[in-house]
């Protein structure tokens, strides 16, 4: 029995939030990715949909899990991990894209779509927010159920209420403190 199974059975799936911290690994061909592992989910990048292409214009990648704050990579696919922990009893995934962390250029939509489309449990988008519109973008272009930011609020570049108002004005429900 795993820790995830034990905790979710004892306290409920809502008590298990798994953080996955992947980074992109670009490839020129799908075969490059398939040769690494049959478990790596190949993700198509579409610039017309707001996805950032690879540094050499690559249009496919897979998302490699990392440890130690992104400093060490593992040959494990983030989408595959999300499916596995859901099967074990996780109740949510916090998805932190190492490539976007601190960049303030928006969330990694391709990653958020790949994971949120592959599982049924809620996905929380993390890493990359730098302005109000990044939140509406991630909610309208992916199936995530929540999004978070830290740096832009700590640096007082954007106020929390401004983000909530922007999202709400876009017709997306917002939880308000009473």
């Amino acid at each position: 029995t795993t820790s995830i199974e034990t905790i979710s059975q004892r306290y409920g799936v809502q008590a298990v939030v798994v953080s996955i911290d992947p980074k992109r690994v670009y490839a020129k061909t799908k075969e490059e990715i398939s040769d690494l592992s049959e478990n790596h989910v190949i993700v198509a990048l579409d610039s017309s949909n707001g996805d950032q292409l690879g540094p050499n214009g690559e249009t496919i990648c897979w998302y490699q899990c990392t440890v130690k704050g992104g400093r060490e990579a593992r040959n494990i696919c983030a989408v595959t991990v999300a499916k596995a922990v859901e099967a074990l009893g996780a109740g949510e995934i916090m998805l932190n894209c190492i490539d976007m962390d601190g960049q303030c250029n928006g969330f990694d939509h391709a990653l958020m779509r790949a994971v949120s489309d592959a599982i049924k449990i809620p996905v929380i988008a993390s890493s990359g927010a730098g302005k109000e519109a990044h939140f509406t973008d991630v909610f309208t272009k992916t199936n995530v159920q929540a999004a978070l930011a830290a740096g832009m609020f700590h640096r007082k570049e954007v106020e929390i209420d401004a983000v909530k108002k922007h999202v709400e004005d876009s017709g997306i429900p917002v939880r308000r403190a009473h």
Side-chain angles (χ1 to χ4, degrees):
T1 304
T2 67
S3 300
I4 292 172
E5 291 168 309
T6 300
I7 294 166
S8 66
Q9 288 167 5
R10 180 156 210 170
Y11 301 105
V13 297
Q14 77 281 355
V16 182
V17 179
V18 175
S19 177
I20 302 175
D21 303 335
K23 68 179 196 109
R24 284 184 178 187
V25 177
Y26 297 101
K28 292 179 182 160
T29 67
K30 292 179 180 181
E31 291 73 31
E32 285 180 54
I33 297 171
S34 299
D35 288 347
L36 290 172
S37 172
E38 62 187 38
N39 293 323
H40 292 348
V41 174
I42 297 167
V43 178
L45 304 172
D46 179 2
S47 61
S48 68
N49 200 17
D51 296 343
Q52 293 180 336
L53 302 182
N56 298 311
E58 294 94 344
T59 58
I60 58 172
C61 71
W62 69 282
Y63 286 92
Q64 182 176 43
C65 288
T66 67
V67 296
K68 299 184 180 176
R71 292 184 301 278
E72 292 182 18
R74 299 291 188 262
N75 188 26
I76 302 169
C77 173
V79 179
T80 303
V81 168
K83 290 179 187 178
V85 297
E86 177 184 43
L88 290 172
E92 284 185 325
I93 302 292
M94 188 177 89
L95 198 51
N96 171 43
C97 182
I98 293 298
D99 301 305
M100 303 301 280
D101 199 24
Q103 300 299 307
C104 299
N105 293 324
F107 298 97
D108 186 330
H109 296 160
L111 170 62
M112 300 305 153
R113 276 193 306 274
V115 173
S116 64
D117 290 352
I119 61 177
K120 293 179 177 60
I121 60 175
V123 174
I124 305 164
S126 178
S127 294
K131 61 184 181 180
E132 295 93 335
H134 291 155
F135 287 87
T136 53
D137 288 348
V138 78
F139 290 129
T140 58
K141 296 179 179 181
T142 76
N143 290 316
V144 301
Q145 287 76 23
L148 65 86
M152 67 184 225
F153 298 131
H154 295 307
R155 293 185 298 271
K156 303 212 182 285
E157 296 166 349
V158 178
E159 293 295 323
I160 294 170
D161 283 339
V163 171
K164 288 187 174 193
K165 181 177 183 337
H166 180 80
V167 171
E168 205 167 45
D169 289 350
S170 299
I172 300 165
V174 173
R175 185 176 9 180
R176 293 283 185 175
H178 300 298

